[in-house]
């Protein structure tokens, strides 16, 4: 699988409100080739872009994402917490985000981020929509249940297992989830981990890397891509 080297974290990184269409457009304008975003189910089962189970940190809403319909979420302001200039940004649906990625030529890492107890449903719903999308994409999740459900729904889609540190049982977990890549926290990566993952022939990508020197060190170790809140630190040609 070919990864873009620099992947804008939560759409546009720190330069736009997270998990919004404005972030996707900003990433494209910066010359990014790839973006990552988080996807959860609304109360009506529609996958939407949001990181937290609760609405307060990033939107004008209150309460649980899982208790609001996608239509209600689409009426919230998911931009002002970042900056008032983004006040009209809604919580987008995954379907709309995938259409925009395809139109903008952005590779998308769709992170399946289930709310509590919704792992399998979220994995299935995300995989179903992703399988119908026309752009290039990769699914990932910290949830093994969500990854397996995604594999059952659309086995043809590439999937990455997300972890913090790489634990001793990572090979078994990769086998269980049928993932073809591993994404880990940059701060927890050791040279021994890197060698083991490379020996297994798996691509390894690291989050969240907000300094160029840290990214260069990781690339020199053999990491294939980094997720960053600061895609503006690289030129289009370097991404
Ligand atoms: O997919 C990489 C990264 O986004 C995982 O952490 O919490 O930012 O979704 P988080
Ligand atoms: Mg994420």
């Amino acid at each position: 699988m070919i990864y873009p080297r620099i992947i804008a974290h939560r759409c546009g990184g720190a330069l736009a409100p997270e998990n919004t269409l404005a972030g996707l457009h900003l990433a494209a304008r910066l010359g990014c080739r790839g973006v990552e975003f988080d996807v959860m189910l609304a109360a009506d089962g529609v996958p939407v872009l949001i990181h937290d189970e609760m609405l307060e940190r990033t939107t004008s809403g209150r309460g649980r994402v899982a208790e609001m319909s996608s239509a209600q979420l689409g009426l919230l302001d998911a931009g002002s917490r970042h900056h008032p200039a983004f006040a009209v940004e809604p919580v987008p649906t995954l379907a709309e985000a995938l259409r925009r990625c395809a139109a903008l030529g952005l590779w998308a890492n769709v992170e399946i981020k289930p709310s509590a107890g919704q792992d399998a449903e979220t994995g299935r719903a995300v995989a179903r929509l992703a399988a119908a999308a026309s752009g290039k994409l990769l699914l990932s999740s910290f949830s093994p249940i969500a990854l397996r459900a995604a594999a059952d729904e659309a086995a043809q889609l590439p999937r990455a297992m997300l972890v913090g540190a790489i634990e001793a049982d990572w090979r078994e977990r990769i086998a269980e989830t049928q993932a073809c890549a591993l994404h880990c926290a940059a701060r927890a990566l050791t040279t021994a981990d890197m060698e083991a993952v490379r020996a297994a022939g798996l691509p390894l990508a690291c989050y969240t890397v907000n300094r160029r020197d840290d990214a260069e060190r990781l690339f020199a170790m053999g990491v294939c891509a980094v997720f960053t809140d600061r895609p503006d630190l690289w030129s289009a040609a370097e991404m």
Side-chain angles (χ1 to χ4, degrees):
M1 188 194 347
I2 308 295
Y3 277 75
R5 293 172 78 237
I6 308 297
I7 302 167
H9 185 224
R10 304 186 190 175
C11 291
L15 309 173
E18 68 181 56
N19 290 314
T20 63
L21 301 177
L24 295 180
H25 285 268
L26 182 74
R29 281 206 297 279
L30 289 172
C32 290
R33 293 186 292 125
V35 293
E36 181 263 4
F37 47 79
D38 308 294
V39 178
M40 197 176 291
L41 292 187
D44 52 359
V46 173
V48 297
L49 270 60
I50 196 155
H51 182 276
D52 300 0
E53 289 195 48
M54 303 300 290
L55 291 162
E56 283 81 352
R57 183 179 63 83
T58 56
T59 80
S60 56
R62 296 171 71 87
R64 286 171 52 78
V65 174
E67 291 173 1
M68 291 189 83
S69 70
S70 53
Q72 287 173 311
L73 292 168
L75 296 173
L76 296 180
D77 170 0
S80 288
R81 294 253 188 280
H82 179 81
H83 192 282
F86 292 99
V88 295
E89 283 301 310
V91 175
T93 63
L94 173 61
E96 182 59 26
L98 290 175
R99 275 194 290 274
R100 300 287 178 103
C101 286
L104 294 165
L106 288 169
W107 174 98
N109 176 186
V110 182
E111 184 190 335
I112 308 167
K113 193 77 112 181
S115 56
Q118 299 221 299
D119 299 59
E121 300 90 313
T122 312
R124 274 196 299 274
V126 169
R128 200 174 308 129
L129 272 180
S134 55
K136 290 196 169 55
L137 57 83
L138 163 74
L139 305 181
S140 66
S141 190
F142 286 104
S143 163
I145 295 172
L147 283 179
R148 279 197 299 273
D152 288 345
E153 181 69 34
Q156 74 279 15
L157 294 177
R159 292 172 307 279
M161 187 174 78
L162 254 169
V163 296
I166 297 176
E167 304 289 352
D169 64 348
W170 69 269
R171 290 179 188 78
E172 290 80 4
R173 296 182 60 197
I174 284 274
E176 279 167 23
T177 55
Q178 302 162 28
C180 63
L182 187 58
H183 296 174
C184 75
R187 60 182 150 63
L189 180 66
T190 67
T191 309
D193 292 333
M194 182 71 240
E195 288 313 314
V197 175
R198 204 210 302 255
L202 287 180
L204 179 67
C206 287
Y207 64 89
T208 304
V209 182
N210 292 334
R211 291 171 51 123
R212 272 189 77 113
D213 54 352
D214 288 337
E216 293 313 326
R217 180 179 54 79
L218 290 162
F219 290 138
M221 285 173 75
V223 167
C224 68
V226 295
F227 300 92
T228 184
D229 296 319
R230 293 294 311 277
D232 56 312
L233 296 179
W234 287 269
S235 70
E238 292 169 321
M239 296 207 259

